[in-house]
Every structure is written in structure tokens, then in C-alpha cells.
Amino acid sequence: MALIGTDISFAKVLLTQGDLVAIPTETVYGLAANAFNPEAVTKVFTTKQRPTFDPLIVHTDSLGKIADFVEEIPETAMQLAKQFWPGPFTILLKKKAIVPDLVTAGLETVAVRIPRHPITQSLLKQLDFPLAAPSANPFGYISPTTAQHVDDQLGDKIGYILDGGASTIGVESTIIGFEEGQTLVYRLGGMSVESLEEVIGKVKLMPHSSSNPSAPGMLKSHYAPKKSLILGDIPMLLEKYKHEKLAILSFQETYTSLENSHYLSLKGDLGEAAQNLFSKLRILDNLPVDKIIAELVPDHGLGKAVNDRLKRAAAK
Ligand code: TXA
Ligand code: MG
């Protein structure tokens, strides 16, 4: 078990001496290290058992501090930054040499985010270095949305978990980047495509790949429970697997009369569905069942991110 608390000064001491601290954000909890200290960043990769070809997101609290470690912020990026930061939103920018290659897995761009969670905002304000932080879960597993989730899996490996309550967005940040004048969405997430497009017009979605390590954000099988998860029409899946013990994850409360059945949102609210997704998947993964069956949610707004995570959780 790790120490869990709300002591920002203690978190600062640990991070400054090169240790790891789990931090709350509005999307998911992160496993943070001083982004400018390669030894500290190495601990992130070993603790998560994350392959070093998968780059990290760098978190800070102001555009001024970002200017210290990126070459430039293009006009479109600036428009989005002004609109959506602090928030569940990450931008790929050309890095300066001060960002260790380990953080970016040798890429020329660094992923940058200003998170909105007040505890982490206040921590970042007190630091004179940014924090490299992936989601605080073992590589490939479901991301944590509470301090308890972090403790359950990484508790014996980290010194301190800053407790900021349950993450209000519940899915990771939306990642965008720029290539040949085009704005690309590298990962769907807590900022909807519709809201991005209201500010900058049409954006393009990057396709997933399970085989291309040069686009690591695109790994298809990710965010996955240990149990096999099958996506489809729930009544059909109930019939198909009627001889097995099943857990059910539905969008609304349709199947609550059945055993081991959970839903994402009573009212059919997509934001609430996103907020509940990972904690529900953890609950289902720990039930005494053979399989989890689940359905997609309406594919707009945050529903797109929920469906993306469900599809990745189902991917082999
Ligand atoms: O909401 C979030 O984004 C959370 C919180 C803690 O900020 N963080 C998070 O980090 O989800 P992580 O490491 O689990 O996911 C970051 C993703 C990875 O898929 C990585 O491949 C991609 O960002 N990424 C990072 N830097 C990149 C780069 N320069 N080019 C392309 N993809 C990049
Ligand atoms: Mg992750």
C-alpha cells in the first residue's frame, strides 16, 4: 500500500528529489515524474512496465512555462490552447532539447497538457519543472480514476498518491497534432471532436494500428480488462453465450434485472457514461464470471471516446 493524502508540499519534495507521485487529473490519475530528469522518467517506465517506444505527456500550468520547452506554438494550437486549457486536451508540439528523448521516445514532438484539476494545478504552480505523467496503471490495463485504483495496482511501487477524489471526465485527454498543415486527432478523449471543430473547423482522425510502434498512441489493444470483453447487441450475446457466466455492461439500466449487470448512465448522459466507464470495467473485471459482454453507446460527443475505449478493450 502507498501513502495516500492531500499533502502538496510532500508531493513537491518527492518529485524534486526524483521520485514518483501519482497525481489526480480530471481525466484519469497520472504517474508523475520530473520531466527534465531522465532518471526519474526511467522510473515511470519501469514502474508501469511500459515499453520505452511509447512516449509520455508533459504537464504544466501555463503557456509561459511551455515556451521554455517547445520550439513554437502554431496559430491553430494557440487558438485551441486558449479555448480548452486547462482541460482534458493534449497538443503535440515540436520539442526543445531540454526535453529528454526518453520522454518523447525519440520523436521530435512532445505531448503537452495543462490539466484542470485544482490539486494538480496548485502542485504544478509550485514546481520549476513540468511533470511527465502517463496514466497510473500497469501498461495495457484500464486507467485509474480514483486514488484507490492506483493503490490497488501500483501501491507497493510508489511513494505517494495525491488524492483528488474521483476524476470528473473519466477518459484520457484528446490528443491532437499537426502534419503538413492538417490538424490530426491522435486519440479521442475527454474533449469532443465537435467542440474542437467549432473552433478550428474540420479535423482528421488518425486510424488505429496494432503494429506500428512509430505511432504508439494508436496501439489498438489497450485500456483492457483481464477478462475477455465482447462487444455487440446484448440480447444476441446473452443467447450466444448462454452456457457461460457473463457480466453485462450496458449504456442505460436496461438489463439490471439480470445478475452481474452494470450500466454507464441512468439518464443516458454520455458525459456520465465516460466518467463511469473505467470504474465499471474494473468492477466487472473482478466479478466471478467468464466473460464481459457490452454494447456501444451513441457515437457523438464523449460517446466517441467511450466507444473508442470499449473497442480497444475488446481488441485482442
Ligand atoms: O488524460 C491523459 O492524457 C492522461 C493524464 C494523466 O494526463 N495521460 C495519459 O497518458 O493518458 P498515457 O501515457 O497513458 O497516454 C499518452 C498517449 C500515449 O498513447 C502516447 O503514445 C501518446 O500519448 N503520445 C505521447 N507523446 C506523443 C507524441 N510525441 N506523438 C504521438 N503520440 C504521443
Ligand atoms: Mg495510458
Side-chain angles (χ1 to χ4, degrees), residues 27 50 54-55 57 59 109 111 113 134-135 172-173 175 187 216-217:
T27 57
R50 179 181 178 112
D54 198 2
I57 295 176
H59 303 70
T109 54
R113 173 169 174 228
S135 52
E172 297 84 350
S173 60
I175 303 179
R187 177 175 73 182

Side-chain angles (χ1 to χ4, degrees), residues 23 25 27-31 48 50 53-57 59 88 90 92 103-104 107-111 113 115 133-137 143 171-175 186-187 214-219 222-223 312:
I23 56 167
T25 87
T27 57
V28 301
Y29 275 67
L31 181 61
K48 270 191 68 115
R50 179 181 178 112
F53 63 70
D54 198 2
L56 307 180
I57 295 176
H59 303 70
T90 295
L92 303 178
V103 169
T104 63
L107 298 172
E108 283 185 358
T109 54
V110 56
R113 173 169 174 228
S135 52
N137 51 285
S143 299
V171 290
E172 297 84 350
S173 60
T174 300
I175 303 179
Y186 283 70
R187 177 175 73 182
S214 74
M218 305 277 89
L219 287 176
H222 219 81
Y223 315 101
R312 296 202 210 196

Side-chain angles (χ1 to χ4, degrees), residues 242-273:
K242 64 184 169 204
H243 300 300
E244 293 186 66
K245 212 153 165 44
L246 301 175
I248 302 170
L249 183 62
S250 56
F251 176 38
Q252 293 184 255
E253 57 170 343
T254 327
Y255 306 98
T256 40
S257 60
L258 301 177
E259 206 189 344
N260 295 322
S261 176
H262 287 257
Y263 58 87
L264 291 174
S265 170
L266 188 62
K267 290 177 295 205
D269 179 83
L270 292 168
E272 188 180 31

